[in-house]
Amino acid sequence: MRLYNILVVLTVAMVFAGACTPGDAALSTPASVNTGVLVDSPPYVCKLVPDQAFRLVSGVKGFLGEKTNGNEANGDCGIPGAIPKALDVAWMREAPESTREYLDGVMDDRRKVFTRHGAATLPAELGEGLAVHLAYAGVDEQPYQVVARFSCSGKQRIITLYLAQVAQGRDGIRDMIELMRIAQKRYGQLYACTPGK
């Protein structure tokens, strides 16, 4: 009888232990989703994109070195060492070497490509712009892109952000629009102009 009781206890214990295995818990618990809110806080990558927000959107970890070319008026900045680069930021300012007509041409070119691929239009307060995921992009390209042309203290500006990837569970288009919102605000702070005016 004692052996029988021991076997019953062991059988019951095994049934309960089996019901609490990590495999079953994983089946009944929804996978965690990367849904954190993007916050504008230092430090910044390429002066315009908050490091923490970029990491949240892209899922990129580790050291982020950056390389900048150009000047305050026209330039670009990226994170070297990876193909494709995890992030590129490009900017242009209306100036004698980049006239308003030249900026018109840049936006026309982007609009033609982006609209063919179902781009989302940016909210009016961010100026004229589009955000897109170019699904056809090759392995050495950055398929997530957002471009905005906006006025900053009466001068036209264009900022373009290029991302190689968006972390699983993130809405890439929405995130790129929010990163553009932060980039424009930061641009105004850095270059003493008021975006949208």
Side-chain angles (χ1 to χ4, degrees):
M1 183 72 168
R2 182 171 165 95
L3 179 60
Y4 175 76
N5 287 342
I6 292 173
L7 287 174
V8 169
V9 170
L10 286 175
T11 303
V12 170
M14 287 176 30
V15 168
F16 282 116
C20 296
T21 61
D24 288 343
L27 292 175
S28 63
T29 305
S32 63
V33 177
N34 179 359
T35 58
V37 177
L38 303 186
V39 177
D40 181 5
S41 63
Y44 293 90
V45 181
C46 293
K47 295 185 182 180
L48 300 179
V49 179
D51 179 274
Q52 183 179 12
F54 168 68
R55 290 174 187 275
L56 187 63
V57 169
S58 67
V60 169
K61 301 187 183 333
F63 174 74
L64 296 180
E66 60 184 61
K67 183 176 179 183
T68 302
N69 300 303
N71 55 37
E72 176 186 330
N74 295 297
D76 63 85
C77 176
I79 300 170
I83 304 280
K85 289 186 238 176
L87 172 72
D88 268 321
V89 177
W91 59 90
M92 293 180 198
R93 179 178 75 190
E94 181 183 352
E97 65 277 4
S98 50
T99 63
R100 195 170 283 221
E101 291 75 24
Y102 177 76
L103 298 182
D104 288 342
V106 169
M107 287 304 294
D108 287 344
D109 288 345
R110 302 265 169 82
R111 190 178 307 103
K112 287 175 189 170
V113 173
F114 285 21
T115 54
R116 281 198 313 262
H117 297 280
T121 303
L122 298 187
E125 68 268 17
L126 296 181
E128 171 193 4
L130 301 161
V132 70
H133 174 236
L134 302 172
Y136 72 88
V139 295
D140 62 339
E141 297 178 20
Q142 296 147 313
Y144 294 93
Q145 301 180 17
V146 59
V147 61
R149 178 181 180 168
F150 60 102
S151 179
C152 204
S153 295
K155 293 281 188 184
Q156 293 293 302
R157 324 289 169 130
I158 294 178
I159 295 176
T160 309
L161 307 176
Y162 306 85
L163 283 79
Q165 67 185 32
V166 170
Q168 185 174 6
R170 300 295 306 182
D171 180 334
I173 298 296
R174 182 184 304 165
D175 283 343
M176 288 187 300
I177 291 170
E178 287 310 307
L179 287 177
M180 179 58 74
R181 186 181 311 280
I182 294 168
Q184 285 187 20
K185 178 183 169 194
R186 179 78 177 140
Y187 184 95
Q189 293 168 347
L190 288 172
Y191 300 115
C193 65
T194 305
K197 304 258 182 190

PDB file of all heavy atoms in Angstrom, residues 106-120 122 129-134 136 142-148 159-162 176:
ATOM      1  N   VAL A 106      14.724  67.992 -55.754  1.00  0.00           N
ATOM      2  CA  VAL A 106      15.003  66.885 -54.822  1.00  0.00           C
ATOM      3  C   VAL A 106      13.694  66.281 -54.329  1.00  0.00           C
ATOM      4  O   VAL A 106      13.506  65.056 -54.340  1.00  0.00           O
ATOM      5  CB  VAL A 106      15.860  67.376 -53.630  1.00  0.00           C
ATOM      6  CG1 VAL A 106      15.934  66.318 -52.532  1.00  0.00           C
ATOM      7  CG2 VAL A 106      17.261  67.760 -54.097  1.00  0.00           C
ATOM      8  N   MET A 107      12.763  67.135 -53.919  1.00  0.00           N
ATOM      9  CA  MET A 107      11.480  66.630 -53.419  1.00  0.00           C
ATOM     10  C   MET A 107      10.671  65.955 -54.518  1.00  0.00           C
ATOM     11  O   MET A 107      10.021  64.933 -54.282  1.00  0.00           O
ATOM     12  CB  MET A 107      10.670  67.755 -52.771  1.00  0.00           C
ATOM     13  CG  MET A 107      11.201  68.196 -51.427  1.00  0.00           C
ATOM     14  SD  MET A 107      11.353  66.862 -50.186  1.00  0.00           S
ATOM     15  CE  MET A 107       9.649  66.411 -49.923  1.00  0.00           C
ATOM     16  N   ASP A 108      10.703  66.492 -55.730  1.00  0.00           N
ATOM     17  CA  ASP A 108       9.985  65.863 -56.849  1.00  0.00           C
ATOM     18  C   ASP A 108      10.499  64.454 -57.102  1.00  0.00           C
ATOM     19  O   ASP A 108       9.718  63.516 -57.288  1.00  0.00           O
ATOM     20  CB  ASP A 108      10.116  66.704 -58.123  1.00  0.00           C
ATOM     21  CG  ASP A 108       9.284  67.983 -58.084  1.00  0.00           C
ATOM     22  OD1 ASP A 108       8.385  68.086 -57.218  1.00  0.00           O
ATOM     23  OD2 ASP A 108       9.552  68.869 -58.915  1.00  0.00           O
ATOM     24  N   ASP A 109      11.821  64.294 -57.087  1.00  0.00           N
ATOM     25  CA  ASP A 109      12.423  62.970 -57.299  1.00  0.00           C
ATOM     26  C   ASP A 109      11.995  61.988 -56.206  1.00  0.00           C
ATOM     27  O   ASP A 109      11.607  60.855 -56.488  1.00  0.00           O
ATOM     28  CB  ASP A 109      13.951  63.054 -57.338  1.00  0.00           C
ATOM     29  CG  ASP A 109      14.467  63.711 -58.605  1.00  0.00           C
ATOM     30  OD1 ASP A 109      13.685  63.842 -59.569  1.00  0.00           O
ATOM     31  OD2 ASP A 109      15.652  64.098 -58.623  1.00  0.00           O
ATOM     32  N   ARG A 110      12.070  62.411 -54.958  1.00  0.00           N
ATOM     33  CA  ARG A 110      11.687  61.527 -53.846  1.00  0.00           C
ATOM     34  C   ARG A 110      10.199  61.179 -53.922  1.00  0.00           C
ATOM     35  O   ARG A 110       9.803  60.047 -53.685  1.00  0.00           O
ATOM     36  CB  ARG A 110      11.997  62.190 -52.504  1.00  0.00           C
ATOM     37  CG  ARG A 110      13.450  62.557 -52.322  1.00  0.00           C
ATOM     38  CD  ARG A 110      14.241  61.512 -51.573  1.00  0.00           C
ATOM     39  NE  ARG A 110      15.660  61.771 -51.629  1.00  0.00           N
ATOM     40  CZ  ARG A 110      16.326  62.611 -50.865  1.00  0.00           C
ATOM     41  NH1 ARG A 110      15.695  63.315 -49.954  1.00  0.00           N
ATOM     42  NH2 ARG A 110      17.620  62.754 -51.001  1.00  0.00           N
ATOM     43  N   ARG A 111       9.370  62.180 -54.230  1.00  0.00           N
ATOM     44  CA  ARG A 111       7.923  61.959 -54.305  1.00  0.00           C
ATOM     45  C   ARG A 111       7.594  60.906 -55.357  1.00  0.00           C
ATOM     46  O   ARG A 111       6.760  60.020 -55.131  1.00  0.00           O
ATOM     47  CB  ARG A 111       7.199  63.267 -54.623  1.00  0.00           C
ATOM     48  CG  ARG A 111       5.697  63.191 -54.492  1.00  0.00           C
ATOM     49  CD  ARG A 111       4.996  64.515 -54.766  1.00  0.00           C
ATOM     50  NE  ARG A 111       5.516  65.616 -53.983  1.00  0.00           N
ATOM     51  CZ  ARG A 111       6.344  66.569 -54.449  1.00  0.00           C
ATOM     52  NH1 ARG A 111       6.735  66.567 -55.695  1.00  0.00           N
ATOM     53  NH2 ARG A 111       6.772  67.526 -53.661  1.00  0.00           N
ATOM     54  N   LYS A 112       8.241  60.975 -56.522  1.00  0.00           N
ATOM     55  CA  LYS A 112       7.984  60.003 -57.593  1.00  0.00           C
ATOM     56  C   LYS A 112       8.287  58.588 -57.128  1.00  0.00           C
ATOM     57  O   LYS A 112       7.507  57.660 -57.361  1.00  0.00           O
ATOM     58  CB  LYS A 112       8.823  60.345 -58.827  1.00  0.00           C
ATOM     59  CG  LYS A 112       8.337  61.551 -59.577  1.00  0.00           C
ATOM     60  CD  LYS A 112       9.290  61.905 -60.707  1.00  0.00           C
ATOM     61  CE  LYS A 112       8.920  63.257 -61.314  1.00  0.00           C
ATOM     62  NZ  LYS A 112       9.948  63.744 -62.241  1.00  0.00           N
ATOM     63  N   VAL A 113       9.420  58.406 -56.493  1.00  0.00           N
ATOM     64  CA  VAL A 113       9.809  57.064 -56.031  1.00  0.00           C
ATOM     65  C   VAL A 113       8.931  56.610 -54.868  1.00  0.00           C
ATOM     66  O   VAL A 113       8.386  55.505 -54.875  1.00  0.00           O
ATOM     67  CB  VAL A 113      11.298  57.026 -55.622  1.00  0.00           C
ATOM     68  CG1 VAL A 113      11.662  55.703 -54.983  1.00  0.00           C
ATOM     69  CG2 VAL A 113      12.186  57.305 -56.829  1.00  0.00           C
ATOM     70  N   PHE A 114       8.783  57.458 -53.871  1.00  0.00           N
ATOM     71  CA  PHE A 114       8.066  57.073 -52.652  1.00  0.00           C
ATOM     72  C   PHE A 114       6.592  56.757 -52.927  1.00  0.00           C
ATOM     73  O   PHE A 114       6.054  55.800 -52.401  1.00  0.00           O
ATOM     74  CB  PHE A 114       8.162  58.179 -51.599  1.00  0.00           C
ATOM     75  CG  PHE A 114       9.504  58.278 -50.904  1.00  0.00           C
ATOM     76  CD1 PHE A 114      10.659  57.754 -51.456  1.00  0.00           C
ATOM     77  CD2 PHE A 114       9.603  58.917 -49.683  1.00  0.00           C
ATOM     78  CE1 PHE A 114      11.878  57.858 -50.810  1.00  0.00           C
ATOM     79  CE2 PHE A 114      10.828  59.026 -49.019  1.00  0.00           C
ATOM     80  CZ  PHE A 114      11.963  58.494 -49.594  1.00  0.00           C
ATOM     81  N   THR A 115       5.925  57.575 -53.757  1.00  0.00           N
ATOM     82  CA  THR A 115       4.501  57.338 -53.999  1.00  0.00           C
ATOM     83  C   THR A 115       4.265  56.052 -54.768  1.00  0.00           C
ATOM     84  O   THR A 115       3.230  55.406 -54.578  1.00  0.00           O
ATOM     85  CB  THR A 115       3.830  58.524 -54.725  1.00  0.00           C
ATOM     86  OG1 THR A 115       4.551  58.827 -55.916  1.00  0.00           O
ATOM     87  CG2 THR A 115       3.771  59.745 -53.832  1.00  0.00           C
ATOM     88  N   ARG A 116       5.194  55.645 -55.608  1.00  0.00           N
ATOM     89  CA  ARG A 116       5.063  54.355 -56.311  1.00  0.00           C
ATOM     90  C   ARG A 116       5.072  53.185 -55.338  1.00  0.00           C
ATOM     91  O   ARG A 116       4.656  52.092 -55.674  1.00  0.00           O
ATOM     92  CB  ARG A 116       6.193  54.176 -57.327  1.00  0.00           C
ATOM     93  CG  ARG A 116       6.000  54.934 -58.609  1.00  0.00           C
ATOM     94  CD  ARG A 116       6.876  54.412 -59.730  1.00  0.00           C
ATOM     95  NE  ARG A 116       8.254  54.187 -59.391  1.00  0.00           N
ATOM     96  CZ  ARG A 116       9.257  55.044 -59.647  1.00  0.00           C
ATOM     97  NH1 ARG A 116       9.014  56.181 -60.247  1.00  0.00           N
ATOM     98  NH2 ARG A 116      10.488  54.740 -59.314  1.00  0.00           N
ATOM     99  N   HIS A 117       5.565  53.407 -54.131  1.00  0.00           N
ATOM    100  CA  HIS A 117       5.696  52.332 -53.148  1.00  0.00           C
ATOM    101  C   HIS A 117       4.794  52.543 -51.932  1.00  0.00           C
ATOM    102  O   HIS A 117       5.091  52.046 -50.850  1.00  0.00           O
ATOM    103  CB  HIS A 117       7.164  52.193 -52.741  1.00  0.00           C
ATOM    104  CG  HIS A 117       8.012  51.790 -53.905  1.00  0.00           C
ATOM    105  ND1 HIS A 117       8.101  50.485 -54.339  1.00  0.00           N
ATOM    106  CD2 HIS A 117       8.753  52.525 -54.762  1.00  0.00           C
ATOM    107  CE1 HIS A 117       8.872  50.438 -55.404  1.00  0.00           C
ATOM    108  NE2 HIS A 117       9.288  51.653 -55.679  1.00  0.00           N
ATOM    109  N   GLY A 118       3.689  53.265 -52.133  1.00  0.00           N
ATOM    110  CA  GLY A 118       2.687  53.390 -51.081  1.00  0.00           C
ATOM    111  C   GLY A 118       3.098  54.228 -49.891  1.00  0.00           C
ATOM    112  O   GLY A 118       2.725  53.925 -48.760  1.00  0.00           O
ATOM    113  N   ALA A 119       3.835  55.289 -50.121  1.00  0.00           N
ATOM    114  CA  ALA A 119       4.318  56.130 -49.024  1.00  0.00           C
ATOM    115  C   ALA A 119       3.172  56.782 -48.254  1.00  0.00           C
ATOM    116  O   ALA A 119       2.106  57.049 -48.802  1.00  0.00           O
ATOM    117  CB  ALA A 119       5.244  57.211 -49.579  1.00  0.00           C
ATOM    118  N   ALA A 120       3.424  57.024 -46.986  1.00  0.00           N
ATOM    119  CA  ALA A 120       2.492  57.760 -46.132  1.00  0.00           C
ATOM    120  C   ALA A 120       2.885  59.236 -46.155  1.00  0.00           C
ATOM    121  O   ALA A 120       4.071  59.567 -46.095  1.00  0.00           O
ATOM    122  CB  ALA A 120       2.548  57.232 -44.701  1.00  0.00           C
ATOM    123  N   LEU A 122       3.328  62.864 -44.555  1.00  0.00           N
ATOM    124  CA  LEU A 122       3.606  63.369 -43.211  1.00  0.00           C
ATOM    125  C   LEU A 122       2.500  64.323 -42.763  1.00  0.00           C
ATOM    126  O   LEU A 122       1.874  64.993 -43.589  1.00  0.00           O
ATOM    127  CB  LEU A 122       4.942  64.114 -43.176  1.00  0.00           C
ATOM    128  CG  LEU A 122       6.201  63.329 -43.516  1.00  0.00           C
ATOM    129  CD1 LEU A 122       7.430  64.184 -43.266  1.00  0.00           C
ATOM    130  CD2 LEU A 122       6.293  62.036 -42.756  1.00  0.00           C
ATOM    131  N   GLY A 129       6.202  66.119 -46.961  1.00  0.00           N
ATOM    132  CA  GLY A 129       7.072  64.971 -46.825  1.00  0.00           C
ATOM    133  C   GLY A 129       6.349  63.647 -46.866  1.00  0.00           C
ATOM    134  O   GLY A 129       5.120  63.581 -46.843  1.00  0.00           O
ATOM    135  N   LEU A 130       7.158  62.585 -46.912  1.00  0.00           N
ATOM    136  CA  LEU A 130       6.656  61.221 -47.043  1.00  0.00           C
ATOM    137  C   LEU A 130       7.520  60.260 -46.247  1.00  0.00           C
ATOM    138  O   LEU A 130       8.730  60.480 -46.090  1.00  0.00           O
ATOM    139  CB  LEU A 130       6.680  60.796 -48.515  1.00  0.00           C
ATOM    140  CG  LEU A 130       5.872  61.645 -49.493  1.00  0.00           C
ATOM    141  CD1 LEU A 130       6.347  61.419 -50.917  1.00  0.00           C
ATOM    142  CD2 LEU A 130       4.394  61.330 -49.364  1.00  0.00           C
ATOM    143  N   ALA A 131       6.894  59.185 -45.796  1.00  0.00           N
ATOM    144  CA  ALA A 131       7.615  58.090 -45.141  1.00  0.00           C
ATOM    145  C   ALA A 131       7.272  56.809 -45.889  1.00  0.00           C
ATOM    146  O   ALA A 131       6.115  56.598 -46.259  1.00  0.00           O
ATOM    147  CB  ALA A 131       7.207  57.973 -43.674  1.00  0.00           C
ATOM    148  N   VAL A 132       8.277  55.952 -46.099  1.00  0.00           N
ATOM    149  CA  VAL A 132       8.048  54.769 -46.925  1.00  0.00           C
ATOM    150  C   VAL A 132       8.917  53.598 -46.470  1.00  0.00           C
ATOM    151  O   VAL A 132       9.981  53.790 -45.878  1.00  0.00           O
ATOM    152  CB  VAL A 132       8.345  55.101 -48.418  1.00  0.00           C
ATOM    153  CG1 VAL A 132       9.837  55.306 -48.658  1.00  0.00           C
ATOM    154  CG2 VAL A 132       7.801  54.032 -49.353  1.00  0.00           C
ATOM    155  N   HIS A 133       8.424  52.401 -46.760  1.00  0.00           N
ATOM    156  CA  HIS A 133       9.235  51.190 -46.659  1.00  0.00           C
ATOM    157  C   HIS A 133       9.383  50.672 -48.073  1.00  0.00           C
ATOM    158  O   HIS A 133       8.408  50.251 -48.697  1.00  0.00           O
ATOM    159  CB  HIS A 133       8.580  50.132 -45.767  1.00  0.00           C
ATOM    160  CG  HIS A 133       9.328  48.848 -45.767  1.00  0.00           C
ATOM    161  ND1 HIS A 133       8.756  47.653 -46.110  1.00  0.00           N
ATOM    162  CD2 HIS A 133      10.635  48.566 -45.494  1.00  0.00           C
ATOM    163  CE1 HIS A 133       9.658  46.687 -46.045  1.00  0.00           C
ATOM    164  NE2 HIS A 133      10.793  47.234 -45.670  1.00  0.00           N
ATOM    165  N   LEU A 134      10.589  50.738 -48.620  1.00  0.00           N
ATOM    166  CA  LEU A 134      10.870  50.282 -49.975  1.00  0.00           C
ATOM    167  C   LEU A 134      11.167  48.789 -49.923  1.00  0.00           C
ATOM    168  O   LEU A 134      12.305  48.376 -49.722  1.00  0.00           O
ATOM    169  CB  LEU A 134      12.056  51.050 -50.563  1.00  0.00           C
ATOM    170  CG  LEU A 134      11.888  52.566 -50.617  1.00  0.00           C
ATOM    171  CD1 LEU A 134      13.197  53.236 -51.022  1.00  0.00           C
ATOM    172  CD2 LEU A 134      10.769  52.953 -51.578  1.00  0.00           C
ATOM    173  N   TYR A 136      11.460  46.548 -52.057  1.00  0.00           N
ATOM    174  CA  TYR A 136      12.350  45.993 -53.073  1.00  0.00           C
ATOM    175  C   TYR A 136      13.824  46.253 -52.791  1.00  0.00           C
ATOM    176  O   TYR A 136      14.697  45.748 -53.481  1.00  0.00           O
ATOM    177  CB  TYR A 136      12.022  46.586 -54.443  1.00  0.00           C
ATOM    178  CG  TYR A 136      12.451  48.033 -54.570  1.00  0.00           C
ATOM    179  CD1 TYR A 136      13.736  48.367 -54.995  1.00  0.00           C
ATOM    180  CD2 TYR A 136      11.595  49.061 -54.219  1.00  0.00           C
ATOM    181  CE1 TYR A 136      14.146  49.684 -55.074  1.00  0.00           C
ATOM    182  CE2 TYR A 136      11.993  50.383 -54.296  1.00  0.00           C
ATOM    183  CZ  TYR A 136      13.269  50.684 -54.734  1.00  0.00           C
ATOM    184  OH  TYR A 136      13.665  51.997 -54.800  1.00  0.00           O
ATOM    185  N   GLN A 142      18.971  50.969 -47.389  1.00  0.00           N
ATOM    186  CA  GLN A 142      18.185  51.268 -46.192  1.00  0.00           C
ATOM    187  C   GLN A 142      16.728  51.457 -46.626  1.00  0.00           C
ATOM    188  O   GLN A 142      16.353  52.517 -47.089  1.00  0.00           O
ATOM    189  CB  GLN A 142      18.739  52.508 -45.515  1.00  0.00           C
ATOM    190  CG  GLN A 142      20.157  52.281 -45.018  1.00  0.00           C
ATOM    191  CD  GLN A 142      20.984  53.526 -45.082  1.00  0.00           C
ATOM    192  OE1 GLN A 142      21.000  54.221 -46.087  1.00  0.00           O
ATOM    193  NE2 GLN A 142      21.687  53.828 -44.006  1.00  0.00           N
ATOM    194  N   PRO A 143      15.907  50.432 -46.470  1.00  0.00           N
ATOM    195  CA  PRO A 143      14.551  50.477 -47.035  1.00  0.00           C
ATOM    196  C   PRO A 143      13.567  51.378 -46.303  1.00  0.00           C
ATOM    197  O   PRO A 143      12.551  51.753 -46.866  1.00  0.00           O
ATOM    198  CB  PRO A 143      14.095  49.021 -46.969  1.00  0.00           C
ATOM    199  CG  PRO A 143      14.885  48.429 -45.856  1.00  0.00           C
ATOM    200  CD  PRO A 143      16.212  49.134 -45.876  1.00  0.00           C
ATOM    201  N   TYR A 144      13.847  51.742 -45.057  1.00  0.00           N
ATOM    202  CA  TYR A 144      12.951  52.623 -44.317  1.00  0.00           C
ATOM    203  C   TYR A 144      13.451  54.055 -44.471  1.00  0.00           C
ATOM    204  O   TYR A 144      14.574  54.368 -44.059  1.00  0.00           O
ATOM    205  CB  TYR A 144      12.902  52.229 -42.840  1.00  0.00           C
ATOM    206  CG  TYR A 144      12.282  50.871 -42.630  1.00  0.00           C
ATOM    207  CD1 TYR A 144      13.077  49.730 -42.574  1.00  0.00           C
ATOM    208  CD2 TYR A 144      10.902  50.726 -42.509  1.00  0.00           C
ATOM    209  CE1 TYR A 144      12.515  48.474 -42.399  1.00  0.00           C
ATOM    210  CE2 TYR A 144      10.337  49.473 -42.326  1.00  0.00           C
ATOM    211  CZ  TYR A 144      11.145  48.359 -42.277  1.00  0.00           C
ATOM    212  OH  TYR A 144      10.582  47.113 -42.106  1.00  0.00           O
ATOM    213  N   GLN A 145      12.636  54.906 -45.096  1.00  0.00           N
ATOM    214  CA  GLN A 145      13.073  56.264 -45.379  1.00  0.00           C
ATOM    215  C   GLN A 145      11.951  57.257 -45.101  1.00  0.00           C
ATOM    216  O   GLN A 145      10.780  56.965 -45.323  1.00  0.00           O
ATOM    217  CB  GLN A 145      13.506  56.385 -46.843  1.00  0.00           C
ATOM    218  CG  GLN A 145      14.639  55.446 -47.195  1.00  0.00           C
ATOM    219  CD  GLN A 145      15.086  55.543 -48.646  1.00  0.00           C
ATOM    220  OE1 GLN A 145      14.783  56.511 -49.344  1.00  0.00           O
ATOM    221  NE2 GLN A 145      15.831  54.550 -49.094  1.00  0.00           N
ATOM    222  N   VAL A 146      12.335  58.423 -44.626  1.00  0.00           N
ATOM    223  CA  VAL A 146      11.391  59.524 -44.425  1.00  0.00           C
ATOM    224  C   VAL A 146      12.093  60.812 -44.845  1.00  0.00           C
ATOM    225  O   VAL A 146      13.264  61.026 -44.533  1.00  0.00           O
ATOM    226  CB  VAL A 146      10.893  59.594 -42.959  1.00  0.00           C
ATOM    227  CG1 VAL A 146      12.018  59.789 -41.964  1.00  0.00           C
ATOM    228  CG2 VAL A 146       9.832  60.678 -42.794  1.00  0.00           C
ATOM    229  N   VAL A 147      11.364  61.636 -45.597  1.00  0.00           N
ATOM    230  CA  VAL A 147      11.905  62.910 -46.066  1.00  0.00           C
ATOM    231  C   VAL A 147      10.902  64.000 -45.738  1.00  0.00           C
ATOM    232  O   VAL A 147       9.687  63.786 -45.823  1.00  0.00           O
ATOM    233  CB  VAL A 147      12.208  62.874 -47.594  1.00  0.00           C
ATOM    234  CG1 VAL A 147      10.951  62.610 -48.406  1.00  0.00           C
ATOM    235  CG2 VAL A 147      12.894  64.155 -48.051  1.00  0.00           C
ATOM    236  N   ALA A 148      11.409  65.169 -45.351  1.00  0.00           N
ATOM    237  CA  ALA A 148      10.539  66.313 -45.066  1.00  0.00           C
ATOM    238  C   ALA A 148      11.199  67.590 -45.555  1.00  0.00           C
ATOM    239  O   ALA A 148      12.392  67.810 -45.336  1.00  0.00           O
ATOM    240  CB  ALA A 148      10.247  66.424 -43.578  1.00  0.00           C
ATOM    241  N   ILE A 159      15.260  67.428 -44.601  1.00  0.00           N
ATOM    242  CA  ILE A 159      15.931  66.405 -43.802  1.00  0.00           C
ATOM    243  C   ILE A 159      15.432  65.057 -44.297  1.00  0.00           C
ATOM    244  O   ILE A 159      14.238  64.876 -44.533  1.00  0.00           O
ATOM    245  CB  ILE A 159      15.629  66.539 -42.298  1.00  0.00           C
ATOM    246  CG1 ILE A 159      16.209  67.842 -41.737  1.00  0.00           C
ATOM    247  CG2 ILE A 159      16.178  65.342 -41.519  1.00  0.00           C
ATOM    248  CD1 ILE A 159      15.859  68.102 -40.269  1.00  0.00           C
ATOM    249  N   THR A 160      16.356  64.117 -44.463  1.00  0.00           N
ATOM    250  CA  THR A 160      16.003  62.749 -44.832  1.00  0.00           C
ATOM    251  C   THR A 160      16.653  61.797 -43.839  1.00  0.00           C
ATOM    252  O   THR A 160      17.832  61.961 -43.504  1.00  0.00           O
ATOM    253  CB  THR A 160      16.488  62.405 -46.258  1.00  0.00           C
ATOM    254  OG1 THR A 160      16.054  63.427 -47.160  1.00  0.00           O
ATOM    255  CG2 THR A 160      15.936  61.059 -46.710  1.00  0.00           C
ATOM    256  N   LEU A 161      15.872  60.848 -43.344  1.00  0.00           N
ATOM    257  CA  LEU A 161      16.373  59.796 -42.455  1.00  0.00           C
ATOM    258  C   LEU A 161      16.248  58.467 -43.179  1.00  0.00           C
ATOM    259  O   LEU A 161      15.213  58.187 -43.787  1.00  0.00           O
ATOM    260  CB  LEU A 161      15.561  59.748 -41.155  1.00  0.00           C
ATOM    261  CG  LEU A 161      15.407  61.039 -40.359  1.00  0.00           C
ATOM    262  CD1 LEU A 161      14.500  60.811 -39.159  1.00  0.00           C
ATOM    263  CD2 LEU A 161      16.753  61.575 -39.923  1.00  0.00           C
ATOM    264  N   TYR A 162      17.309  57.663 -43.117  1.00  0.00           N
ATOM    265  CA  TYR A 162      17.332  56.346 -43.744  1.00  0.00           C
ATOM    266  C   TYR A 162      17.653  55.311 -42.668  1.00  0.00           C
ATOM    267  O   TYR A 162      18.672  55.443 -41.982  1.00  0.00           O
ATOM    268  CB  TYR A 162      18.436  56.260 -44.800  1.00  0.00           C
ATOM    269  CG  TYR A 162      18.420  57.328 -45.861  1.00  0.00           C
ATOM    270  CD1 TYR A 162      19.034  58.563 -45.651  1.00  0.00           C
ATOM    271  CD2 TYR A 162      17.817  57.094 -47.096  1.00  0.00           C
ATOM    272  CE1 TYR A 162      19.051  59.536 -46.636  1.00  0.00           C
ATOM    273  CE2 TYR A 162      17.826  58.057 -48.086  1.00  0.00           C
ATOM    274  CZ  TYR A 162      18.444  59.283 -47.859  1.00  0.00           C
ATOM    275  OH  TYR A 162      18.459  60.248 -48.835  1.00  0.00           O
ATOM    276  N   MET A 176       9.173  56.376 -37.999  1.00  0.00           N
ATOM    277  CA  MET A 176       9.962  57.302 -38.814  1.00  0.00           C
ATOM    278  C   MET A 176       9.369  58.704 -38.776  1.00  0.00           C
ATOM    279  O   MET A 176      10.098  59.699 -38.733  1.00  0.00           O
ATOM    280  CB  MET A 176      10.069  56.794 -40.246  1.00  0.00           C
ATOM    281  CG  MET A 176      10.980  55.586 -40.357  1.00  0.00           C
ATOM    282  SD  MET A 176      11.289  55.099 -42.053  1.00  0.00           S
ATOM    283  CE  MET A 176       9.648  54.749 -42.638  1.00  0.00           C
TER     284      MET A 176
END
